[in-house]
Amino acid sequence: MRRFSTRSLPPRLADLEQEIKGYAKEFGLDFYEVIFELLTYDEVNMVAAYGGYPNRYPHWRFGMEYEQLSKGYEYGLSKIYEMVINNDPTYAYLLESNPEVDQKLVMAHVYGHGDFFKNNFAFQHTNRKMMDEMANHATRVRRLIDRIGIDKVEDFIDRCLSIENLIDYHSPYIKREPSSQEGSEETPVRGLRNDREYMGEYINPRSYIDDLQRKAAEDRDRKKRFPERPQRDVLLFLLDHAPLEPWEQDILAIVREEAYYFAPQGMTKIMNEGWASYWHSTIMTTRALKDSEIIDYADHHSGTVSMRPGTLNPYKIGIELFRDIEERWNTGRFGRDWEACDSLAERQTWDKQLGLGRQKIFEVRKHYTDVTFIDEFLTPEFCIDQKLFVFDYNDKRQTWEIASRQFKAVKEKLLHQLTNFGQPIIEVVDANFENRSELLLVHRHDGIDLKLDDARHTLQNLQSLWRRPANLYTRFDGKSVILRFDGQDHSDRKAEL
Amino acid sequence: MSLKIKQDHARFKAIVRGKIKQNLRKFIQKGEMVGKQGKDLITIPLPTIDIPHFRYGAKQQGGVGQGEGEVGQSLGPGQEQPGEGDGKAGQGEGQHLLEVDISFGELAEILGEELQLPKIEPKGTDRIVTEKTRYTGINTVGPESLRHFKRTYKQALRRQIASGTYDASRPVIVPFREDRRYRSWRTTPQPEAAALIVYIMDVSGSMGDEQKEIVRIESFWIDTWLRHHYKGLAARYIIHDAVAREVDRETFFHTRESGGTMISSAYKLAAEMIEKDHPSNAWNTYVFHFSDGDNWSADDTRLCLEIVKERILPNVNLFAYGQVESPYGSGQFIRDLRESCNDDERVALSEIADKEAIYGSIKEFLGKGK
């Protein structure tokens, strides 16, 4: 890639870069150095297929991604405008064939992302040298391929990827107690009844008490579950306890590390895109835009934040929510007085001229993720303004239809969609299930069933990693079941845990 | 960088190919490919190439959307999974049906591999279609890009040894202008074999829609296979009940008559067609006849066999008869054919009970490699 040769934007773009960067700094955006690279559309598709990284380990799914992206581009269905990588320095890509106004817009957008990456708390634990780390992963996997063969390695990667969403998204932010406390506590045991303290040595000799203590400890160990408490980070659990070969461990560790690296981006999709859109729109409309460029800008910007019916565009909802917050904190539409006011006329003209908006949104971009962002700042007025609705599948009519426009319903559904990435919560609860070293996972059912065929396939992959039968406790149609794959066949049985 | 993604791309394609092979039997009988053919490409849906995850079933999940509309209003049938826009963040992909494009040539190859079909050896070369450039020799002049380095080196070595300037302790070879050798080429006309398929179908009342669908699917695969072997492929269509006539492809698959059945009429027409327009020294001819096996009379059948033996077989690579089972047919005709000319290498007979049998039938038809 060009990155490894001397990097130079053509003079005109380099000038624009300086100009836009100046505006971004002027507004107080704070980012690592941003390195822009100019790519042809084919290169953009390639880099995008690798998730933005010029160096990834070989795997067919990147080829699939590439095929889909290039086809989308050929058919005129999609076009990648911007790509930016959370790294220090931050890398971003510009599409060579874009007109100048688009390049400016993309740059402004990228500085927004750069600021978000650097400052949002969810990214604090991410590896800022991920560009290099990814390249290391690529080298490690390539070496394994040379040694073991592409088919075996790729097949194993498939299995790991199948469970890559079974990580504990919150673990980087929570300090949990170590799960194993072997020998750290003495079991209190009582010897034989003894009313006379001076007789103690005779009635309950030291050796007898020790004996009792040992027995009690054995007893406890036998009852103790393994893992002691449910473990959300299934990948880590397998890494520690599954009978994997060293090369398999290596790959699993790589997949896990990359999953954790990408997790914050998933947790802040709405905020991150909203923040970047807010800044490209602010910078463009107040500073960078020339009169002659307004039409093109408006066209592009409205494309970015357009809504297809029935879908939620994170760019749109994000930018609107940031603007809404800014407006509310500028005019003082928050806090106890505002909540208590029930005069419609008063509310409509409410303006305390606080001017705290800008400051507030900078604060929000630092301390929130999508879940808390929506939970705290989504208001009934906003739902109405943005025409939000909940949709459901109508089995009788076999179509998706609008189910509700109630604020409560919309908020609940949104939060549910965002919690744990909108993915089911599944934990390892027993690695010695029914005393047969089988693996038992539990799906914390929250009203929505799993997709059954996928669940079975995934179970198959878990079994192959654990090398013993794998079980999943879940619910279908209101009934509790344990799905099981023993290496040969699937079976399920009704069960309550 | 480009190399890297090309590798992954190739791996992906190989997997797709494997999937197609795996599902070929299903694809063959489904007929959805027949409907999906574009000009040179065909689109095949592959439902299970996604990496499986524990994920929610879409229909129970629902989601949040934005826009106009009353409660209860449908979002439109095209919306396969509207929730995707949101859940897609990061690496948590929504599921999607993968559609891949594949060329007819590749499809034919997959078909051939899976059914273990032998390659066809076309007979009779005629009709110049292409010119082919071939490197035929070495010349002393030519463009630098075609310089033959080894020959040039040899020539220089030879000269240096001959002239005594070669020093074994310091083996440096310096070619002169005269030493240089270039590849030379010649354009040769590449003769391409011409091929003809004659499709004959019984359209009497007993051939129902299901039977015709079978013929339609099967003829698609036959086309695909033969087209793989012949650049120019002509197809002609004959329908018959008590009388036969030539029609276009569209009519062929959509006509339904209610008369009796005189197979000889169709064979006569086919024989005339071949004799008149497609002489066997120039054409590789394939005749495929589909019927439910009910002929008007034993006399007519006798006539049929005579025409096949005397006028059709000598002029064709393959005469194939597919008997499509129908509730009305007696199925006698295939027995008569089997009795009289089953030993002939150029004859292929197949009974097609239902769509599932198409797979085997294709193998019976094309397995002779004629």
Side-chain angles (χ1 to χ4, degrees):
Chain A
M1 260 207 41
R2 286 171 203 189
R3 182 166 80 86
F4 300 115
S5 57
T6 49
R7 167 235 165 208
S8 59
L9 284 183
R12 179 66 193 136
L13 280 180
D15 290 348
L16 286 179
E17 181 191 1
Q18 287 311 314
E19 183 191 337
I20 304 292
K21 191 177 165 181
Y23 302 139
K25 294 245 165 175
E26 178 198 332
F27 281 113
L29 294 184
D30 166 34
F31 36 82
Y32 300 118
E33 187 200 351
V34 179
I35 296 176
F36 286 100
E37 303 208 16
L38 201 57
L39 303 183
T40 64
Y41 85 89
D42 202 36
E43 289 172 314
V44 162
N45 287 337
M46 283 185 234
V47 176
Y50 282 122
Y53 290 85
N55 251 315
R56 290 294 287 276
Y57 61 78
H59 190 264
W60 62 266
R61 80 177 190 283
F62 301 127
M64 174 167 80
E65 198 67 28
Y66 173 70
E67 163 120 350
Q68 283 167 344
L69 287 170
S70 1
K71 223 176 264 167
Y73 186 89
E74 275 166 36
Y75 298 160
L77 298 174
S78 63
K79 181 174 169 182
I80 297 161
Y81 274 100
E82 50 102 7
M83 231 183 325
V84 50
I85 297 180
N86 167 29
N87 195 72
D88 178 12
T90 301
Y91 284 93
Y93 304 98
L94 299 173
L95 183 57
E96 199 175 59
S97 58
N98 271 351
E100 207 168 87
V101 56
D102 281 0
Q103 306 290 25
K104 285 201 273 192
L105 186 155
V106 170
M107 285 173 183
H109 193 89
V110 162
Y111 287 120
H113 279 308
D115 171 81
F116 196 87
F117 286 148
K118 187 174 171 188
N119 292 288
N120 181 273
F121 86 96
F123 288 88
Q124 265 169 30
H125 301 275
T126 54
N127 183 351
R128 305 289 190 181
K129 294 288 173 205
M130 203 56 186
M131 193 81 136
D132 303 333
E133 189 62 33
M134 290 277 188
N136 289 340
H137 291 173
T139 311
R140 269 156 70 189
V141 173
R142 266 174 227 288
R143 276 196 198 133
L144 290 177
I145 287 173
D146 288 343
R147 198 152 58 79
I148 289 157
I150 176 98
D151 289 317
K152 270 179 100 174
V153 170
E154 201 168 59
D155 188 58
F156 189 77
I157 295 177
D158 285 354
R159 290 171 206 281
C160 295
L161 289 175
S162 170
I163 53 167
E164 71 175 349
N165 58 340
L166 302 183
I167 58 174
D168 186 351
Y169 293 114
H170 300 108
S171 72
Y173 317 104
I174 303 170
K175 192 132 181 68
R176 294 219 166 95
E177 288 182 19
S179 65
S180 176
Q181 300 150 331
E182 220 79 23
S184 63
E185 55 182 304
E186 287 258 297
T187 323
V189 287
R190 230 181 287 149
L192 298 173
R193 194 189 146 126
N194 175 19
D195 296 332
R196 288 154 293 180
E197 211 177 312
Y198 61 91
M199 290 290 281
E201 278 291 310
Y202 301 95
I203 294 176
N204 291 316
R206 189 72 220 157
S207 64
Y208 175 64
I209 294 287
D210 284 352
D211 227 33
L212 279 183
Q213 241 159 11
R214 212 189 58 239
K215 268 192 192 141
E218 272 173 16
D219 232 34
R220 200 187 47 209
D221 278 352
R222 207 173 303 128
K223 273 190 216 141
K224 198 165 37 176
R225 282 208 155 180
F226 172 61
E228 269 173 52
R229 71 188 74 159
Q231 194 159 330
R232 202 56 109 74
D233 192 338
V234 178
L235 269 74
L236 179 63
F237 183 82
L238 292 173
L239 215 43
D240 287 346
H241 304 292
L244 298 173
E245 297 191 23
W247 70 269
E248 293 175 320
Q249 249 175 345
D250 207 16
I251 286 176
L252 184 58
I254 287 175
V255 168
R256 178 169 175 269
E257 192 186 332
E258 296 193 2
Y260 271 111
Y261 169 78
F262 283 119
Q265 303 191 18
M267 290 160 70
T268 57
K269 183 82 177 165
I270 292 176
M271 284 184 77
N272 200 349
E273 293 304 351
W275 185 249
S277 298
Y278 175 92
W279 284 107
H280 86 229
S281 124
T282 304
I283 289 174
M284 289 301 277
T285 52
T286 62
R287 299 286 188 283
L289 212 50
K290 283 188 272 183
D291 289 352
S292 60
E293 295 171 338
I294 284 181
I295 301 290
D296 285 338
Y297 165 77
D299 183 37
H300 182 158
H301 176 76
S302 60
T304 312
V305 298
S306 72
M307 312 168 293
R308 271 188 304 136
T311 63
L312 195 73
N313 181 343
Y315 293 79
K316 173 71 176 169
I317 195 150
I319 188 178
E320 294 298 347
L321 212 42
F322 271 118
R323 282 182 177 153
D324 188 56
I325 294 167
E326 186 177 29
E327 164 85 10
R328 284 169 59 201
W329 261 261
N330 274 338
T331 55
R333 291 168 192 237
F334 62 95
R336 196 178 296 165
D337 288 350
W338 167 253
E339 301 294 341
C341 171
D342 47 15
S343 146
L344 195 62
E346 220 177 302
R347 277 177 89 105
Q348 263 168 359
T349 56
W350 191 285
D351 188 0
K352 289 193 167 172
Q353 309 227 329
L354 296 181
L356 293 170
R358 226 4 109 65
Q359 187 192 331
K360 181 68 186 175
I361 59 174
F362 269 95
E363 197 185 301
V364 169
R365 77 93 159 78
K366 192 178 179 77
H367 297 296
Y368 289 76
T369 62
D370 284 351
V371 171
T372 49
F373 185 57
I374 296 290
D375 192 31
E376 188 150 343
F377 298 109
L378 192 76
T379 62
E381 291 85 357
F382 185 82
C383 273
I384 294 167
D385 279 354
Q386 292 300 316
K387 307 190 175 102
L388 298 184
F389 59 76
V390 173
F391 59 80
D392 273 319
Y393 192 75
N394 184 328
D395 258 333
K396 266 187 227 142
R397 292 171 52 196
Q398 305 227 325
T399 70
W400 293 92
E401 61 184 38
I402 298 175
S404 170
R405 286 186 178 278
Q406 296 285 316
F407 170 65
K408 201 165 160 271
V410 168
K411 185 169 168 183
E412 251 171 38
K413 189 61 109 182
L414 251 181
L415 287 178
H416 182 267
Q417 259 183 21
L418 296 169
T419 301
N420 199 43
F421 261 8
Q423 297 192 25
I425 293 174
I426 286 165
E427 303 170 311
V428 180
V429 295
D430 198 349
N432 187 25
F433 182 47
E434 295 186 334
N435 209 17
R436 289 193 301 231
S437 341
E438 296 188 10
L439 193 63
L440 174 68
L441 294 97
V442 168
H443 168 216
R444 305 286 173 208
H445 198 283
D446 50 6
I448 298 171
D449 293 354
L450 295 178
K451 198 162 168 277
L452 186 59
D453 52 341
D454 263 1
R456 288 227 165 93
H457 275 123
T458 311
L459 209 54
Q460 245 168 282
N461 291 334
L462 274 164
Q463 186 276 335
S464 86
L465 293 169
W466 186 247
R467 311 235 156 101
R468 286 285 300 152
N471 300 270
L472 176 73
Y473 176 81
T474 180
R475 257 167 42 205
F476 283 103
D477 296 327
K479 290 185 198 95
S480 300
V481 285
I482 292 182
L483 307 181
R484 180 168 187 267
F485 182 73
D486 63 8
Q488 299 280 324
D489 299 303
H490 286 281
S491 58
D492 21 292
R493 62 183 155 106
K494 276 189 208 163
E496 288 293 341
L497 286 187
Chain B
M1 174 179 72
S2 66
L3 247 174
K4 255 182 296 164
I5 198 84
K6 291 270 140 60
Q7 267 175 22
D8 290 337
H9 200 203
R11 293 286 301 164
F12 166 65
K13 292 233 154 156
I15 290 171
V16 166
R17 207 182 146 94
K19 285 264 176 207
I20 293 174
K21 251 178 150 174
Q22 226 176 62
N23 295 313
L24 195 64
R25 187 183 282 271
K26 216 166 64 206
F27 285 143
I28 282 181
Q29 70 196 51
K30 262 196 177 158
E32 62 194 26
M33 297 215 222
V34 186
K36 281 205 166 174
Q37 48 180 310
K39 195 167 164 284
D40 309 306
L41 291 174
I42 196 163
T43 303
I44 298 175
L46 288 177
T48 53
I49 202 156
D50 247 353
I51 294 166
H53 288 113
F54 287 126
R55 50 166 70 110
Y56 291 125
K59 292 194 174 169
Q60 246 182 48
Q61 191 178 12
V64 175
Q66 236 175 333
E68 308 285 346
E70 303 284 311
V71 169
Q73 186 172 316
S74 163
L75 295 175
Q79 230 99 39
E80 270 175 45
Q81 213 205 335
E84 227 177 287
D86 190 45
K88 208 168 179 173
Q91 79 274 45
E93 300 281 319
Q95 60 264 60
H96 39 233
L97 203 69
L98 185 72
E99 293 213 327
V100 292
D101 289 341
I102 178 170
S103 70
F104 280 106
E106 207 171 341
L107 191 60
E109 252 166 58
I110 293 171
L111 179 75
E113 278 168 32
E114 192 53 20
L115 289 175
Q116 295 179 313
L117 299 178
K119 294 258 181 278
I120 292 175
E121 300 281 350
K123 60 162 192 164
T125 51
D126 202 37
R127 290 228 302 191
I128 294 154
V129 174
T130 47
E131 285 197 330
K132 202 170 179 183
T133 308
R134 297 182 63 174
Y135 291 100
T136 49
I138 297 292
N139 213 335
T140 50
V141 289
E144 282 308 300
S145 59
L146 289 182
R147 191 160 92 211
H148 196 304
F149 290 94
K150 203 170 170 185
R151 290 286 188 98
T152 304
Y153 169 81
K154 264 191 186 163
Q155 197 59 35
L157 181 65
R158 191 179 290 159
R159 177 184 47 75
Q160 270 177 257
I161 292 172
S163 64
T165 52
Y166 180 75
D167 177 5
S169 64
R170 202 173 159 274
V172 179
I173 308 294
V174 185
F176 287 2
R177 184 160 229 322
E178 307 80 71
D179 297 331
R180 293 189 194 159
R181 292 295 178 271
Y182 303 87
R183 279 167 236 267
S184 70
W185 73 94
R186 193 188 299 149
T187 341
T188 45
Q190 181 79 4
E192 284 287 345
L196 168 76
I197 310 181
V198 182
Y199 287 110
I200 305 170
M201 182 160 53
D202 180 352
V203 291
S204 62
S206 50
M207 289 284 285
D209 288 342
E210 206 193 319
Q211 281 76 24
K212 286 215 199 81
E213 172 75 359
I214 289 173
V215 175
R216 206 164 75 95
I217 293 170
E218 185 144 350
S219 65
F220 167 78
W221 290 99
I222 291 167
D223 269 3
T224 302
W225 177 248
L226 290 176
R227 215 173 282 279
H228 183 52
H229 293 274
Y230 299 102
K231 271 240 171 64
L233 186 73
R236 296 180 75 167
Y237 301 89
I238 295 171
I239 54 174
H240 72 89
D241 43 25
V243 288
R245 64 196 163 101
E246 185 178 2
V247 295
D248 58 29
R249 185 182 174 85
E250 193 54 28
T251 319
F252 184 77
F253 287 114
H254 296 100
T255 306
R256 185 156 189 191
E257 313 271 323
S258 57
T261 312
M262 296 262 274
I263 298 180
S264 66
S265 64
Y267 286 4
K268 228 180 272 170
L269 182 59
E272 277 163 22
M273 191 186 275
I274 294 167
E275 285 157 3
K276 195 165 139 256
D277 303 336
H278 307 280
S280 64
N281 57 359
W283 290 82
N284 293 277
T285 301
Y286 296 80
V287 177
F288 289 90
H289 177 211
F290 297 95
S291 159
D292 59 3
D294 228 2
N295 201 10
W296 177 250
S297 66
D299 278 347
D300 192 67
T301 299
R302 219 166 296 131
L303 186 56
C304 286
L305 296 176
E306 214 179 282
I307 300 170
V308 168
K309 275 191 183 152
E310 282 164 23
R311 295 177 65 189
I312 294 182
L313 281 182
N315 292 318
V316 300
N317 295 35
L318 186 71
F319 171 80
Y321 173 72
Q323 189 155 293
V324 191
E325 204 166 279
S326 95
Y328 312 103
S330 69
Q332 180 57 38
F333 194 66
I334 196 165
R335 272 169 250 156
D336 297 334
L337 276 173
R338 202 171 277 147
E339 245 169 57
S340 76
C341 50
N342 201 24
D343 323 326
D344 197 307
E345 263 289 283
R346 294 162 297 189
V347 174
L349 306 173
S350 164
E351 279 176 275
I352 315 161
D354 49 25
K355 283 190 190 172
E356 254 173 69
I358 294 176
Y359 188 82
S361 168
I362 291 173
K363 195 174 162 71
E364 279 168 338
F365 278 168
L366 303 173
K368 295 199 167 177
K370 283 284 159 189

